[in-house]
Amino acid sequence: MLDEMRDLPNKQREQYIIQVLEKSLELEELINQFFEITRLNNGEISISKGKIDLEYFLIQLKDELYPMMKENDNKIKIFSEGQIFVNVDPDKMKRAFENIFKNALLYSYSNIEIKVKIYQTYKFAIVKVINEADTLEEAQMRNMFNKFTRLNGARNSKKAGSGLGLPIAKEIVELHGGKIEVESFKNKVIFTVSVPK
């Protein structure tokens, strides 16, 4: 349209340019996610581990997601049973938890507090992300970590994810020798991430 309609008013032309830019950036992100999940699946990504304080790490991530929390009228509250250290690749683990937190924000009810509980067992650090949202069916939970699976019910369908965020999170967690699980009951959706210490 920009090419064919040379006489478009400047204001309308600017609106179209903004739309084209936004869609281009969305497409770029989708392509990057697709390459990322492909490389993870093919074992082409190596990890560089370092010791991190898990609570501090997740607080930093929460602060970075403040604009999305504000937009969705939600808060993320982190609870920890003392200082817990894990030996992980910080960049990749940040990506995994960012995807989990964003998923919780997209599908949560309005004006609720998403709870993040951190504790440890003898071998594992455990992070539970507890979200108030529509209860998931068994089939939804089974397919949740499959590529391109998108659930109905995102509060803003225009900003629903690509269906690659959770599969990427799962691949990263498993690359560290951990696991990610989901359960849902009584309008709660709970992700449990276990990472070796």
Side-chain angles (χ1 to χ4, degrees):
M1 287 176 68
L2 288 168
D3 183 51
E4 292 173 7
M5 299 173 69
R6 304 289 173 133
D7 58 344
L8 272 175
N10 282 341
K11 190 171 182 180
Q12 197 171 2
R13 182 177 293 278
E14 286 174 16
Q15 288 175 342
Y16 286 140
I17 289 170
I18 289 169
Q19 287 177 358
V20 169
L21 179 60
E22 285 176 353
K23 292 298 177 186
S24 298
L25 292 172
E26 287 174 15
L27 183 58
E28 180 185 32
E29 175 64 14
L30 180 62
I31 291 167
N32 288 339
Q33 286 183 341
F34 184 74
F35 280 126
E36 186 177 10
I37 192 74
T38 302
R39 290 176 65 208
L40 283 163
N41 285 337
N42 292 340
E44 295 173 12
I45 291 183
S46 58
I47 55 176
S48 179
K49 290 184 178 181
K51 203 170 194 178
I52 63 166
D53 179 326
L54 192 52
E55 180 183 13
Y56 180 69
F57 176 78
L58 293 178
I59 287 171
Q60 283 185 309
L61 175 58
K62 178 193 82 167
D63 291 344
E64 290 176 24
L65 292 174
Y66 176 77
M68 189 175 181
M69 284 189 282
K70 188 175 180 182
E71 186 179 353
N72 291 329
D73 300 318
N74 292 124
K75 293 179 181 176
I76 295 174
K77 185 77 179 278
I78 296 174
F79 306 86
S80 182
E81 293 183 354
Q83 202 170 37
I84 298 171
F85 290 94
V86 286
N87 195 30
V88 296
D89 184 314
D91 292 333
K92 292 182 179 61
M93 197 55 72
K94 178 185 173 185
R95 175 75 160 158
F97 279 109
E98 182 180 48
N99 289 352
I100 295 165
F101 282 11
K102 282 182 175 180
N103 184 81
L105 288 167
L106 272 173
Y107 290 94
S108 68
Y109 296 143
S110 295
N111 297 307
I112 62 105
E113 188 175 79
I114 296 164
K115 295 177 176 63
V116 179
K117 296 184 178 180
I118 308 166
Y119 60 96
Q120 62 186 334
T121 62
Y122 179 66
K123 291 184 177 180
F124 290 91
I126 315 289
V127 178
K128 281 190 181 286
V129 180
I130 303 162
N131 184 26
E132 292 180 37
D134 291 345
T135 304
L136 298 175
E137 298 172 3
E138 287 293 330
Q140 289 175 309
M141 288 187 282
R142 274 197 310 272
N143 295 322
M144 183 161 282
F145 298 104
N146 293 341
K147 291 188 285 290
F148 302 112
T149 297
R150 288 173 57 178
L151 301 179
N152 295 325
R155 284 193 291 124
N156 187 341
S157 58
K158 291 180 182 176
K159 297 192 177 179
S162 63
L164 289 172
L166 291 178
I168 287 171
K170 181 175 185 284
E171 292 287 341
I172 290 170
V173 170
E174 290 180 351
L175 193 61
H176 284 80
K179 65 179 179 178
I180 180 170
E181 299 169 301
V182 62
E183 58 185 316
S184 184
F185 52 87
K186 295 182 180 178
N187 298 107
K188 289 192 186 304
V189 177
I190 303 169
F191 286 92
T192 302
V193 179
S194 306
V195 182
K197 292 193 292 185

